[in-house]
Amino acid sequence: KIHHYIWIHIPGYIVADIAPQKFQANFTKFTQGAQKKDGPQKRQLGRHPRIPFTSHQLSVLEEKFQQSPYLSSEEVIALSRRLQLADVRVKIWFQNRRARERREKMVQNSESESQEDHKKNSLPNSQDISTSSTVQ
């Protein structure tokens, strides 16, 4: 028996759009997919294979990012035409690059804080001892 609300879990379907046969076929596909979790899921090859950026495209994108981490819609269009990329790819690249920048800053800040904490909590070295004894 099919649970009445299972359609919520099938992506891309609205209740009114589902014919009973189509629903049953997608329900079966959905439940079988949920059972096959042996290891990490590989990306399904579909209509859009992953196409990496060329080194020239990356250098131009990085150069533009160093000038400004944000682009106007006109700049996105101009850059995408210059690099022969879809506008969406340029936009997403900049989003991902900003996220990478934030992540790297967080790591850098946490490392510097841990070094400062280590210095505060460590025993004083011989210079610190000699300096403190001459001050008194």
Side-chain angles (χ1 to χ4, degrees):
K1 183 179 177 185
I2 297 174
H3 191 274
H4 293 289
Y5 299 105
I6 195 66
W7 56 268
I8 292 173
H9 302 287
I10 300 175
Y13 287 99
I14 300 171
V15 177
D17 292 343
I18 301 176
Q21 298 86 4
K22 193 173 187 180
F23 177 82
Q24 182 61 46
N26 283 300
F27 174 76
T28 305
K29 211 184 312 179
F30 177 77
T31 55
Q32 286 174 348
Q35 294 168 356
K36 294 182 182 179
K37 291 190 177 181
D38 297 335
Q41 297 273 333
K42 288 191 176 182
R43 185 177 167 275
Q44 268 191 338
L45 296 178
R47 295 183 309 197
H48 305 287
R50 183 181 180 279
I51 301 170
F53 293 100
T54 65
S55 56
H56 170 70
Q57 290 169 336
L58 286 173
S59 64
V60 171
L61 289 164
E62 278 292 341
E63 182 183 318
K64 195 74 171 168
F65 182 83
Q66 296 308 317
Q67 293 171 6
S68 173
Y70 292 92
L71 295 179
S72 67
S73 56
E74 293 84 16
E75 289 173 313
V76 169
I77 292 167
L79 190 57
S80 66
R81 285 185 181 153
R82 178 179 166 195
L83 298 175
Q84 297 178 343
L85 293 168
D87 300 354
V88 173
R89 290 207 64 201
V90 172
K91 186 186 88 158
I92 299 292
W93 186 90
F94 269 80
Q95 287 177 347
N96 290 338
R97 185 62 181 82
R98 287 191 299 269
R100 187 174 107 200
E101 184 97 346
R102 283 191 300 274
R103 201 170 43 249
E104 288 171 352
K105 281 184 181 177
M106 285 175 47
V107 168
Q108 189 178 22
N109 289 341
S110 68
E111 286 176 353
S112 64
E113 287 174 5
S114 67
Q115 287 175 355
E116 289 173 12
D117 290 345
H118 180 71
K119 285 179 183 178
K120 288 178 186 176
N121 295 330
S122 64
L123 295 173
N125 62 25
S126 59
Q127 271 188 324
D128 294 338
I129 295 171
S130 64
T131 311
S132 63
S133 60
T134 56
V135 173
Q136 294 176 348

